[in-house]
Amino acid sequence: MVADALRGLAACHPELIVDVDNRVIVRRDAPIEDKVGLVSGGGSGHEPLHGGFVGPGMLDAACPGEVFTSPVPDQMVRAAAAVDSGKGVLFIVKNYTGDVLNFDMAAELAEDEGIQVAKVLVNDDAAVTDSLYTAGRRGTGATLFVEKIAGAAADEGAPLERVESIARRVNELSRSFGVALSACSTPAKGGPTFDLPAGELELGVGIHGEPGRERRAMMTSHEIADYAVEVVVEDLRPDSPVLLLVNGMGATPQLELYGFAAEVHRALGERRVAVARTLVGNYVTSLDMAGASITLCQVDEDLLRLWDAPVRTAGLRWGA
């Protein structure tokens, strides 16, 4: 299934080099002279994360693993070598045990080959501290913010230390919370990965279907927004405007997401949180899960400028 998807990505996006056998997606114009390379990756099933975010203004390369399975170090080393211009490479890693271990190993191997590597861990999920796949907070929607803003900084020619610092800051200023209305089904299992009876929802679900904070009877969009916003705002305590991502988990239509976005804006307004920009859509998904997540990121003028900078990828594009 992953190979089929990669062949489709290659057919539809000739601006990318898609190595189907070795599972690496690279900008066709990489490496770019005097530019820090950005590499990310993770299990497939979260599309457009990460392969859909390869291109000007975001990632230079991505490494897709099997469904919900970390890519392997060889993929990451190939990606780093393909995008390294001599200015170093930043690995952006979601906080899941397999991803962390494999990216750590890949960084050591890449450095043995003379590639300078820095790593940033994304751990923005405010729902739970530990889960089935990780120790500490899970990495979720803030990955998009980190890749976009750090990608803009790299495009401006910022050195590796600066790009790494910006990426860490974005992660620290971001929090997320997800809600599942149905379970997702992996190709290997052929059915739902967990039991969620009709008429119930999972509050704080992870992007692999990990358990959240609690399970309740179905709630209205108004009630879900109040619950999710309260958790995120209480954890983040924003004192400046925020970027807002209203993210679908894969099977929630845009019609419902915009209705939910209206409720999230209401809930944030009642808590005196100003929204600078909003992005609505399916960006960090969980196969065919019905549900949504919200991510907030506090921004100042510089971070907002980097967010607004042009981007041109399969999954995200605006500006020149």
Side-chain angles (χ1 to χ4, degrees), residues 113-125:
E113 296 185 8
I115 302 171
Q116 183 184 4
V117 175
K119 301 186 299 293
V120 169
L121 190 68
V122 181
N123 57 351
D124 57 301
D125 192 354

Side-chain angles (χ1 to χ4, degrees), residues 41 49 52-53 82 86 89 117 157 170 172 183 191 193 240 253 259:
L49 193 79
F53 298 147
V89 174
V117 175
V170 172
E172 290 165 1
T193 56
S240 60

